[in-house]
């Protein structure tokens, strides 16, 4: 009997195994193209990539991604945010590294001018003297002398410095320069190309110019690359916008178009390497098709773009100035390590086989923390909550030592017929996470997503969608939230739209919202009086000023309409916890800190010599014990975090953060509604402050009032049950879109079950009649079909 049972068990296992394989193959076949929505979130639009000249030793590279500067010291596997000296308001544009040392770099921006680093990109200083435009989109250091640099205006003009950026002179007035290359054999010679296809040569370091070539009907000159053997072969290559690549073997006296096999004429960059026999190998990046390689000096080309990916967004009118692929950089030891990096609109790509196969690197991490809050009962429950940019939210009940994911049910399968892969998984894009002021009793959390607001009444275990009725002309993307301190009684919650200035209000604890008023300006911040139940006061900041309401949001008045407060971009707000008595609000702008002590009637500038007085304010946070300790923190872009203990009369820099190149501020261009500095409600006794500001899943924590900081890395944690439920939702969606697959699935599931019953001969082993077994099998088929039809 035992042998019989073992034999039949093995039969059952074999059949089940076969069925599982069949189901797995069916699932892969049907759903193999299911992808996460916005695979790059944040979208990794790489403006430029540059390698350290000693990359083969230190694996250091630098990128500008979505206007943000990041540095990697492990070949692009991880990235570090640099904050020291980068006080730019606008996006960063271009990078250049000095060829003879890894210390010197220059960085340009779309509106803030030029920055220089002398410590391998760890800190930066502005070098704008002599520039008549701060909109600089291309910069290049001479490989012969780090003091000689050329930079181009985004619209027109060419600037030069001979003293490392101490001052600049304009050497070309009107032309739009699109490419710069210093000749390898002569430090005084430099070639530039413009947007009309003209090539000009200077023999005096850029002081004067003469035309070298004119590539008619080729569009802009986009790249100039010299042969490593230029002194002997006199060869260099020119990339163009519309006509592919030109080659000269006589130092530019004549050019030949070399495009055989080059199916994309939009050339963005060219790299040239030479072997021991002086044979030239070329790599060229093309704006639409990726990488092409020539092994014979440009005579013929082969496409090398395996695993490169594109985003259709680059083809939209909104991004007409962005191509799918652009800058190309090769390792200084390319002949040995075959390492190449490629900047793309859809991300940064790396190849270690000379460009044949590419790997997509993560730069802007979807795990970057963009929202944080501390429980109002922190002294007793030790609870904090965080949300990452994409998909992930966590809660900790032990001051950050361990974390539990609170993402249940937030991933939703979607279908869009016009997409290449129409079935995708929509994941939450967080902007804010907030505790109810009565969290100790109601366990309520709120979360603001890209276009949604969620509420949980069980500490984040489950979420309910709060309906927000859209209003024509106003966007609900990325709203900012404010909750009444007397929430337990008045149940009041506000939402302000970042785009359009609409104010929503709920008086039933966030179950639903209705429009309370409007400001008709983009809103950056919203704060609510701690005595709202009696004074009905809120403040909102918009680029044009600070608005106040004293009737619960129905009407708003601009409080900063005096001439001395004009010409400022108002961004941040913080309201005193003792507002009823001191009437104090702090406002931050791109030109410093301002304070009102009379509820917005008048404003005065807080002149803090420690932070410079005119810095761009990124965050402000009051101590909950402000009445007694007169403490608040402020983050100044490029300079770090500053603390005052006398209400703003003097400030001291928090050295521990800036020394580690950290700041309590969100990444530029990565939107958030959350304040990146959060005091413990029991700060008076525990001296604890939390914050975020790195390029990853890190919480910054201080337990001594900000003197020292601990970096808490939040590990990735996913619920397998939630993933399984998401998979079932995908199956359900597929069956709705493709009903015929339901019948196939029914057969796949039911037929083997029916056959299994007969194969095992259960009518002989069990006290059942044969008709009962057959009927049972048929019933299984029937149930499976019903299940499929139901789903």
């Amino acid at each position: 009997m035992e042998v019989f049972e073992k034999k039949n068990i093995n039969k059952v296992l074999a059949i089940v195994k076969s069925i599982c394989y069949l189901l797995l193959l069916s699932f892969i076949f049907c759903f193999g193209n299911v992808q996460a929505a916005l695979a790059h979130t944040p979208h990794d639009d790489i403006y430029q990539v540059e390698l350290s000249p000693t990359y083969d030793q230190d694996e250091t590279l630098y990128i500008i991604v979505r206007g943000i500067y990041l540095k990697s010291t492990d070949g692009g596997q991880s990235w570090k945010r640099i904050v020291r000296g980068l006080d730019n308001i606008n996006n960063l544009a271009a990078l250049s590294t000095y060829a003879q040392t890894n210390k010197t770099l220059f960085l340009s921006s779309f509106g803030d001018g030029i920055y220089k680093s002398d410590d391998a990109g760890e800190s930066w200083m502005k070098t704008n003297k002599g520039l008549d435009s701060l909109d600089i989109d291309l910069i290049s250091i001479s490989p012969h002398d780090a003091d000689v640099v050329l930079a181009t205006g985004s619209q027109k003009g060419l600037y030069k410095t001979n003293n490392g950026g101490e001052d600049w002179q304009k050497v070309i007035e009107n032309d739009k320069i699109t490419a710069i290359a210093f000749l390898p054999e002569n430090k005084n010679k430099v070639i530039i190309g413009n947007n009309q296809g003209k090539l000009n040569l200077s023999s005096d370091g850029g002081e004067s110019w003469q035309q070298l070539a004119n590539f008619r009907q080729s569009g802009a000159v986009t790249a100039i690359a010299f042969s490593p053997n230029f002194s002997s072969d006199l060869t260099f290559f020119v990339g163009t916008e519309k006509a592919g690549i030109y080659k000269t073997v006589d130092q530019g006296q004549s050019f030949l178009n070399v495009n055989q096999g080059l199916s994309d004429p939009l050339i963005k960059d060219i790299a040239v390497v030479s072997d021991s026999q002086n044979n030239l190998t070329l790599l060229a990046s093309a704006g639409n098709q990726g990488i092409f390689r020539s092994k014979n000096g440009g005579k013929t080309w082969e496409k090398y773009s395996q695993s490169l990916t594109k985003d259709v967004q680059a083809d939209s009118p909104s991004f007409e100035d962005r191509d799918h692929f652009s800058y190309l950089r090769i390792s200084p030891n390319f002949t040995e390590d075959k390492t190449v990096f490629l900047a793309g609109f859809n991300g940064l790509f790396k190849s270690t086989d000379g460009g044949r196969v590419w790997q997509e690197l993560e730069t802007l991490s979807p795990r970057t923390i963009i929202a944080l809050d501390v429980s109002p009962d922190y002294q007793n429950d030790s609870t904090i909550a965080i949300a990452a940019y994409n998909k992930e939210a966590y809660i900790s009940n032990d001051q950050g030592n361990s974390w539990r994911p609170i993402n249940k049910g937030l991933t939703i399968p979607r279908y869009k017929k016009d997409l290449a892969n129409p079935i995708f998984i929509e994941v939450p894009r967080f902007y804010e996470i907030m505790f109810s002021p009565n969290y100790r009793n109601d366990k309520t959390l709120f979360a603001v997503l890209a276009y949604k607001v969620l509420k949980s009444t069980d500490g984040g275990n489950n979420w309910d969608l709060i309906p927000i009725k859209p209003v024509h002309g106003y966007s609900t993307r990325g709203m900012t939230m404010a909750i009444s301190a007397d929430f337990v009684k008045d149940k009041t919650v506000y939402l302000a739209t970042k785009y359009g200035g609409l104010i929503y209000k709920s008086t039933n604890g966030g179950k639903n919202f209705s429009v309370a008023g409007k400001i008709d300006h983009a809103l950056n911040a919203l704060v609510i009086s701690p005595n709202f139940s009696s004074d009905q006061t809120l403040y909102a900041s918009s680029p044009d000023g600070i608005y106040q309401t004293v009737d619960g949001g129905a009407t708003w008045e601009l409080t900063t309409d005096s001439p001395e407060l004009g010409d400022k971009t108002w961004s941040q707000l913080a309201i005193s916890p003792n507002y009823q008595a001191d009437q104090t609000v702090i406002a931050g702008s791109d030109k410093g800190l301002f304070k009102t002590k009379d509820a917005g009637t008048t404003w005065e500038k807080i002149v803090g010599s420690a932070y410079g007085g005119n810095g761009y304010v990124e965050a402000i946070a009051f101590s909950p014990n402000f009445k007694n300790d007169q403490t608040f923190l402020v983050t100044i872009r490029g300079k770090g975090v500053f603390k005052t203990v006398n209400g703003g009369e003097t400030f001291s820099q928090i050295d521990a953060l800036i020394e580690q190149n950290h700041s309590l501020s969100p990444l530029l261009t990565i939107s958030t509604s959350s304040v990146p500095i959060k005091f413990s409600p029991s700060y008076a006794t525990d001296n604890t402050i939390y914050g975020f500001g790195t390029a990853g899943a890190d919480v910054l924590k201080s337990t001594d009032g900000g003197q020292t900081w601990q970096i808490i890395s939040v590990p990735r944690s996913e619920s397998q049950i939630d993933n399984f439920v998401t998979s079932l939702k995908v199956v359900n969606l597929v069956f709705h879109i493709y009903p015929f697959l339901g019948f196939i699935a029914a057969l796949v599931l039911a037929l083997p079950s029916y056959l299994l019953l007969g194969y095992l001969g259960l009518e002989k082993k069990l006290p059942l009649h044969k008709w009962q077994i057959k009927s049972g099998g048929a019933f299984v088929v029937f149930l499976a079909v019903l299940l499929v039809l139901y789903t």
Side-chain angles (χ1 to χ4, degrees):
M1 184 68 180
E2 184 177 345
V3 174
F4 170 80
E5 289 179 352
K6 184 175 181 180
K7 182 179 179 181
N8 278 274
I9 289 173
N10 289 335
K11 286 182 179 180
V12 172
L13 291 176
I15 294 172
V16 170
K17 186 176 181 181
S18 299
I19 293 173
C20 289
Y21 277 135
L22 180 60
L23 290 174
L24 179 60
L25 289 172
S26 299
F27 188 86
I28 293 172
F29 174 80
C30 294
F31 317 130
N33 286 329
V34 176
Q35 298 181 351
L38 302 175
H40 275 283
T41 40
H43 179 65
D44 299 17
D45 180 6
I46 309 296
Y47 289 21
Q48 190 171 349
V49 55
E50 287 290 343
L51 272 61
S52 161
T54 53
Y55 174 83
D56 53 328
Q57 303 165 35
D58 56 33
E59 291 193 287
T60 296
L61 67 153
Y62 317 89
I63 60 170
I64 299 175
V65 50
R66 269 179 63 174
I68 301 167
Y69 164 73
L70 298 178
K71 177 180 178 180
S72 173
T73 55
D74 56 10
Q77 297 306 306
S78 64
W79 297 90
K80 179 182 179 182
R81 180 189 184 189
I82 304 296
V83 298
R84 280 203 298 263
L86 289 178
D87 60 354
N88 57 297
I89 298 172
N90 303 283
N91 285 358
L92 298 172
L95 267 167
S96 183
T97 56
Y98 181 44
Q100 297 185 32
T101 173
N102 61 1
K103 297 297 183 184
T104 303
L105 294 89
F106 277 81
L107 180 63
S108 74
S109 70
F110 294 113
D112 296 280
I114 296 171
Y115 296 84
K116 180 184 180 181
S117 173
D118 289 317
D119 57 3
E122 289 292 309
S123 65
W124 299 84
M125 66 185 78
K126 267 185 179 172
T127 57
N128 286 344
K129 184 180 178 182
L131 296 176
D132 61 6
S133 170
L134 299 182
D135 193 356
I136 307 295
D137 69 345
L138 181 62
I139 194 161
S140 182
I141 307 173
S142 166
H144 312 291
D145 186 348
D147 286 337
V148 177
V149 187
L150 293 177
T152 72
S154 293
Q155 301 302 317
K156 61 180 182 177
L158 180 68
Y159 301 90
K160 180 187 177 185
T161 179
N162 290 311
N163 52 21
E166 289 184 18
D167 58 72
W168 298 83
Q169 301 83 38
K170 203 171 201 178
V171 293
I172 289 180
E173 184 68 36
N174 293 317
D175 284 2
K176 168 55 186 164
I177 308 304
T178 53
I180 303 171
F182 292 87
L183 271 69
E185 92 319 345
N186 189 326
K187 68 177 182 179
N188 292 317
K189 288 189 175 182
V190 58
I191 296 176
I192 59 172
N194 69 13
N195 63 343
Q196 301 299 314
K198 294 180 180 179
L199 213 60
N200 293 328
L201 169 70
S202 174
S203 299
D204 55 10
E207 300 298 326
S208 61
W209 300 88
Q210 64 185 47
Q211 185 170 302
L212 187 62
N214 186 1
F215 304 111
R216 300 182 187 278
Q217 298 181 338
S218 66
V221 173
T222 55
I224 305 168
F226 291 95
S227 161
N229 315 313
F230 181 78
S231 58
S232 59
D233 64 20
L234 305 181
T235 296
F236 68 90
F237 300 83
V238 178
T240 65
E241 182 183 15
K242 299 178 181 178
I245 296 175
Y246 291 88
K247 176 181 180 179
T248 178
V249 294
D250 53 14
Q251 200 168 290
Q253 298 303 306
S254 62
F255 287 88
L256 177 67
N257 206 222
V258 287
N259 290 337
Q260 186 176 341
L262 194 63
S263 54
D264 185 356
L266 174 55
I267 302 303
K268 301 300 295 183
D269 209 351
I270 304 171
V272 189
V273 293
S274 176
D275 62 18
S276 57
Q277 284 78 41
N278 293 333
N279 297 314
L280 298 183
T281 295
L282 285 81
L283 289 175
S285 66
N288 293 309
Q289 295 185 20
I291 293 295
F292 291 84
R293 178 167 177 164
S294 172
K295 299 180 182 179
N296 51 19
K299 291 180 181 179
T300 59
W301 297 87
E302 181 183 358
K303 190 173 179 181
Y304 267 40
S305 300
Q306 184 176 334
S307 301
L308 291 179
T309 61
K310 296 166 65 173
D311 189 310
V312 294
Q313 195 175 36
D315 299 318
S316 68
S318 302
F319 294 91
E320 60 182 358
D321 61 334
R322 306 294 298 148
D323 296 303
H324 287 287
F325 306 101
S326 56
Y327 284 93
L328 173 70
R329 293 295 181 265
I330 63 174
S331 164
N333 194 33
F334 176 81
T335 54
E336 299 295 328
D337 62 27
K338 307 295 183 185
T339 298
V340 194
F341 290 89
L342 175 64
F345 183 83
N346 200 39
L348 179 66
F349 302 92
K350 179 180 181 179
S351 172
T352 54
D353 63 358
R356 184 178 293 276
V357 179
W358 295 88
Q359 171 196 2
E360 196 171 325
L361 301 179
E362 182 178 272
T363 57
L364 284 179
S365 172
R367 305 200 68 233
T368 300
I369 293 176
I370 54 84
L372 181 151
D373 202 15
V374 181
S375 165
D377 194 35
Y378 178 81
Q379 187 173 15
N380 298 308
D381 63 22
S382 301
T383 296
I384 58 176
I386 60 167
Y389 183 96
N390 182 241
K391 188 179 179 179
E392 298 178 66
Y394 297 90
I395 196 165
S396 172
N397 302 119
D398 55 10
Q399 303 179 16
N401 293 314
S402 63
W403 299 87
R404 173 173 59 85
I406 49 174
N407 313 302
K408 185 177 178 181
L410 298 186
T411 53
I412 304 171
R414 298 290 190 197
Y415 173 74
K416 285 190 177 180
K417 191 175 182 179
D418 56 339
L419 295 181
N421 296 307
I423 300 173
F424 62 94
I425 298 176
E426 180 185 280
V427 294
R429 157 70 173 96
F430 287 97
Y431 277 76
E432 177 66 282
I433 192 162
M434 294 184 75
F435 286 96
S436 155
N438 189 38
Y439 182 76
R440 179 178 183 177
N441 298 311
D442 62 24
K443 299 303 177 188
T444 295
L445 272 168
F446 292 94
V448 178
L449 306 186
Y451 294 95
K452 302 174 183 177
V453 179
L454 304 177
K455 178 181 178 181
S456 172
T457 55
D458 56 7
N461 290 320
N462 297 278
W463 295 91
D464 295 318
L465 178 65
I466 300 174
I468 307 294
K469 186 178 181 180
V471 176
H472 180 71
Y474 298 87
S475 173
T476 57
R477 181 180 179 185
M479 295 176 286
T480 184
M481 177 177 280
I483 307 175
S484 168
D486 201 21
F487 179 77
V488 67
K489 293 182 179 178
D490 62 28
K491 305 293 184 183
T492 299
V493 185
Y494 282 90
L495 294 168
T497 60
K498 285 183 172 290
Y499 303 93
L502 206 62
I503 309 296
Y504 288 92
K505 180 180 181 180
S506 171
T507 55
N508 56 12
K511 291 181 180 179
N512 53 61
F513 285 82
S514 58
V515 175
K518 60 181 179 179
I519 296 176
D520 277 340
H521 290 280
L523 298 180
N524 296 322
L526 181 71
V527 294
I528 190 167
S529 165
N531 311 101
F532 173 80
S533 58
S534 58
D535 62 25
Q536 297 290 292
T537 298
L538 296 97
Y539 291 85
S541 71
S542 76
D544 69 319
I546 308 300
Y547 289 83
Q548 180 199 54
T549 179
V550 292
D551 57 10
T555 60
W556 294 80
E557 180 182 353
L558 182 64
T559 68
T560 53
D561 57 354
S562 57
E564 63 269 21
L565 296 175
D567 192 31
K568 294 174 178 61
T569 299
W570 298 90
S571 54
Q572 303 302 318
L573 281 175
I575 192 165
S576 166
N578 193 37
Y579 178 78
Q580 187 175 26
D582 61 28
Q583 303 285 280
T584 296
V585 180
I586 306 290
S589 76
D590 61 338
K591 295 179 176 64
L593 277 173
F594 295 81
K595 176 167 69 173
T596 178
K597 295 191 289 185
D598 53 15
T601 302
T602 61
W603 294 85
E604 61 177 312
K605 187 169 186 178
I606 301 176
V607 182
S609 58
Y611 75 85
N614 290 314
Y616 187 97
V617 179
E618 294 191 287
I620 313 165
F622 276 101
S623 159
N625 193 36
F626 180 73
K627 177 181 178 180
N628 300 311
D629 62 23
Q630 292 293 290
T631 295
F632 67 85
L633 297 184
V634 57
T635 301
I636 307 296
R637 183 171 296 173
K639 296 184 178 181
V641 183
F642 295 82
K643 180 179 181 180
T644 179
V645 293
N646 51 23
E649 292 182 15
T650 60
F651 290 84
S652 60
Q653 187 171 37
I654 296 182
D655 296 326
L657 282 174
I658 200 68
E659 286 171 0
Q660 298 176 65
N661 235 322
H662 292 315
S663 184
L664 303 181
S665 62
L667 286 167
L668 182 67
T669 76
I670 304 300
S671 298
T672 175
S673 300
S674 180
V675 178
I677 307 172
K678 293 293 173 69
F679 282 85
S680 160
S682 49
Y683 176 75
T685 56
D686 62 26
N687 289 306
T688 296
I689 309 169
Y690 288 95
F692 60 87
T694 73
D698 303 313
V699 173
L700 299 167
K701 177 183 178 181
S702 174
T703 55
D704 56 11
Q707 297 306 304
T708 61
W709 292 81
Q710 173 190 1
I711 299 176
I712 303 172
S713 295
V714 181
R716 186 190 297 274
S717 179
E718 293 184 328
S719 169
Q720 297 304 316
I721 294 177
D722 198 36
N723 289 340
F724 177 72
V725 171
T726 300
S727 299
L728 292 180
K729 290 179 181 178
V730 172
V731 174
N732 181 44
L733 178 63
V734 171
F735 286 161
H736 269 87
I737 299 168
Y738 308 110
F740 71 93
L741 290 178
F743 293 99
I744 295 175
L747 292 175
V748 170
L749 289 170
L751 187 58
S753 302
Y754 178 76
L755 295 175
L756 177 63
L757 295 176
Y759 180 80
L760 294 176
L762 293 183
E763 73 276 10
K764 299 177 182 178
K765 282 77 179 179
L766 297 174
L768 297 172
H769 295 290
K770 185 175 182 179
W771 68 270
Q772 290 176 310
I773 298 295
K774 296 297 183 181
S775 298
F779 184 66
V780 170
V781 176
F782 176 72
L783 285 179
V785 172
L786 281 181
L787 176 63
V788 170
L789 293 176
Y790 175 76
T791 59

